[in-house]
Amino acid sequence: MKNSGIKYWIIVACCCLIAASSVGIVVNAVGVFYTPVSTALGVSQGTFTLHATCCLLATALTALFVPQIIKRVPIKLMVLIGVSLTSLSTFAMGLSHHIILFYILGIIRGIGAAMYGAIPVTIIINNWIYKQNGLATSITFCFSGVGGAVLSPVFTNLIESIGWENTYFVVAILTFVLVLPFLLFPFKMRPEDEGRLPYGKEYESETNISVKELQLEDETKFKVLQPKFIIFFIIAIVLNAITAMSSHLPTYALSIGFSATLGSLMLSATMIGNICSKFIIGILSDMIGIMKSVYTMIIINMLALIIFMLFKTEYTLLIAAFLFGAIYSVCAVGLAIMTRIFFGSENYSSSYSWITFGCNFGAAFAVTIIGYIYDFTASYSLIFVIGLVIAILAITGLNIVKRMKTV
């Protein structure tokens, strides 16, 4: 049975484009719409960003059911339904001029994003890539940053030239187009179904586990309420709450007297930091282990928050924004690898669906809470302080989880 070839990496490339669509556009580039749309609708930042909370909450709740849906629905059909929901709801936002409609469409958008986002992508990568799995995972999630880095300034320019309504139409079309290679390239969910082995896997017997057997192991071995998982779940929530700050960087730039262009460049710098840190954490994890790699990235993020608070020039803000992107490597790559290490490969589908729920849950509430904190205080200083406290607590919590036994 084959265990190498170009097909494996074409599949990884298709997953990269899905990450760019489902996370890069839907989550990482959404911040450029906050100011122009909230102003046009005559509502506050916090009120408008609540639609992003609705989106992320819907993603979080839907993520819990995605592993079960995958067992019953062909993965390409599920991805098609998901991206269709996301694209159509985004298109409809361009036709909406009432905040309630944005809340409803945000929910639909979030449901769709979950159906073709992180969980299907990681399951495909884990099924097809054995050797260099960490590298494949890192490369894939880098593209969520590529989407935000490349497209944020593009969307900003489009908003200024053709208006936010028409820009939503462009976003909707691009969201769907990026997923077409995944839908059109012929491959099955598991390489064994094509008479292949996962990339780099030597023995078929190690991978010949049926979906039914995997489901049985998930149900009998994995316990959501075990103390170790509860602590890890909380850590996932608070770390992803930090990522919600990035979508507010355009508003932060405006609040301290800089232009919208600098704000979009800061968001792009964050996404470039996102990309670079995901490559680096994969390399570091092979050299010094995933735990030390995660600690390093959290500390870099803390440095960014300190720079934001103390230095307010164009150059320092761009540097801080770049360093801030390190937190994405923890939330995307670090949490995925640690989930497998802490709770076992056989429990990955069940455990990671809950972690994904926690990630989106944390980001969902944080993006609106940050908006309201700014509305009430007219400053982001308190938000940066809260981010530092969260980072310290997360490092402490991960040390505790590392020393606990899985029940």
Side-chain angles (χ1 to χ4, degrees):
M1 297 176 74
K2 290 184 177 181
N3 67 349
S4 62
I6 188 66
K7 181 168 187 174
Y8 293 88
W9 296 102
I10 292 177
I11 292 171
V12 172
C14 292
C15 290
C16 289
L17 294 177
I18 285 186
S21 174
S22 64
V23 182
I25 293 179
V26 175
V27 179
N28 293 339
V30 69
V32 299
F33 287 95
Y34 289 169
T35 298
V37 181
S38 62
T39 301
L41 297 181
V43 298
S44 68
Q45 285 272 336
T47 299
F48 180 70
T49 56
L50 187 57
H51 93 283
T53 296
C54 292
C55 177
L56 291 171
L57 278 177
T59 300
L61 292 170
T62 306
L64 295 176
F65 302 97
V66 169
Q68 299 302 319
I69 296 173
I70 289 177
K71 294 172 184 177
R72 293 169 172 80
V73 177
I75 192 164
K76 290 195 176 186
L77 176 59
M78 187 183 74
V79 168
L80 175 61
I81 294 171
V83 72
S84 297
L85 288 173
T86 301
S87 298
L88 290 173
S89 58
T90 301
F91 191 93
M93 286 180 177
L95 302 172
S96 304
H97 288 83
H98 195 287
I99 190 61
I100 298 299
L101 291 176
F102 276 90
Y103 295 160
I104 295 171
L105 293 171
I107 292 172
I108 298 172
R109 195 184 199 197
I111 292 171
M115 294 178 69
Y116 81 108
I119 296 176
V121 164
T122 54
I123 290 176
I124 289 291
I125 294 294
N126 288 337
N127 284 351
W128 279 85
I129 307 295
Y130 175 74
K131 186 180 180 181
Q132 298 182 317
N133 179 274
L135 175 63
T137 303
S138 297
I139 291 173
T140 299
F141 283 108
C142 279
F143 274 77
S144 65
V146 170
V150 174
L151 297 175
S152 290
V154 173
F155 294 159
T156 297
N157 289 331
L158 285 174
I159 290 170
E160 292 176 352
S161 60
I162 65 175
W164 61 267
E165 297 98 331
N166 291 325
T167 302
Y168 269 127
F169 300 155
V170 174
V171 172
I173 295 170
L174 185 59
T175 298
F176 191 87
V177 168
L178 285 173
V179 181
L180 285 178
F182 182 93
L183 297 173
L184 298 176
F185 184 70
F187 71 93
K188 297 183 183 297
M189 183 173 171
R190 302 171 69 246
E192 293 86 352
D193 297 334
E194 298 185 13
R196 294 171 177 263
L197 291 173
Y199 181 80
K201 192 79 170 181
E202 296 296 335
Y203 301 105
E204 182 179 2
S205 59
E206 295 179 15
T207 63
N208 190 21
I209 301 176
S210 68
V211 172
K212 184 177 180 180
E213 292 169 334
L214 180 58
Q215 181 181 359
L216 180 61
E217 289 194 73
D218 286 346
E219 292 173 351
T220 57
K221 290 188 177 182
F222 179 67
K223 298 177 181 178
V224 173
L225 295 181
Q226 59 178 294
K228 181 176 182 177
F229 186 77
I230 292 173
I231 296 174
F232 190 65
F233 179 75
I234 293 172
I235 291 171
I237 292 176
V238 297
L239 284 176
N240 274 270
I242 296 178
T243 67
M245 296 181 188
S246 66
S247 65
H248 286 270
L249 290 180
T251 304
Y252 173 60
L254 292 173
S255 73
I256 56 176
F258 291 98
S259 66
T261 300
L262 178 64
S264 65
L265 287 175
M266 288 172 63
L267 189 56
S268 293
T270 299
M271 293 303 106
I272 294 172
N274 174 347
I275 297 164
C276 294
S277 65
K278 286 174 181 174
F279 274 119
I280 293 171
I281 198 172
I283 296 171
L284 283 179
S285 64
D286 291 334
M287 295 173 58
I288 62 176
I290 188 61
M291 298 302 294
K292 291 180 180 178
S293 302
V294 166
Y295 297 154
T296 299
M297 293 301 165
I298 293 176
I299 291 171
I300 291 173
N301 179 259
M302 293 172 67
L303 176 61
L305 295 174
I306 293 171
I307 295 175
F308 276 136
M309 288 190 293
L310 299 181
F311 305 98
K312 293 180 175 61
T313 67
E314 290 187 3
Y315 294 113
T316 57
L317 289 174
L318 289 172
I319 291 171
F322 173 79
L323 296 177
F324 184 86
I327 195 64
Y328 286 91
S329 67
V330 177
C331 296
V333 181
L335 289 177
I337 294 175
M338 287 188 293
T339 299
R340 186 181 299 107
I341 292 174
F342 291 152
F343 307 103
S345 297
E346 70 276 11
N347 299 316
Y348 183 80
S349 178
S350 295
S351 58
Y352 191 63
S353 65
W354 278 98
I355 294 304
T356 301
F357 170 81
C359 291
N360 287 293
F361 183 86
F365 280 100
V367 71
T368 296
I369 290 172
I370 290 171
Y372 278 120
I373 290 176
Y374 173 70
D375 288 339
F376 294 142
T377 65
S379 171
Y380 282 90
S381 297
L382 177 60
I383 297 164
F384 296 142
V385 172
I386 293 173
L388 288 171
V389 173
I390 287 174
I392 294 170
L393 292 175
I395 291 175
T396 304
L398 287 173
N399 270 311
I400 294 172
V401 171
K402 182 181 178 181
R403 288 165 172 76
M404 296 177 72
K405 294 182 178 180
T406 302
V407 178

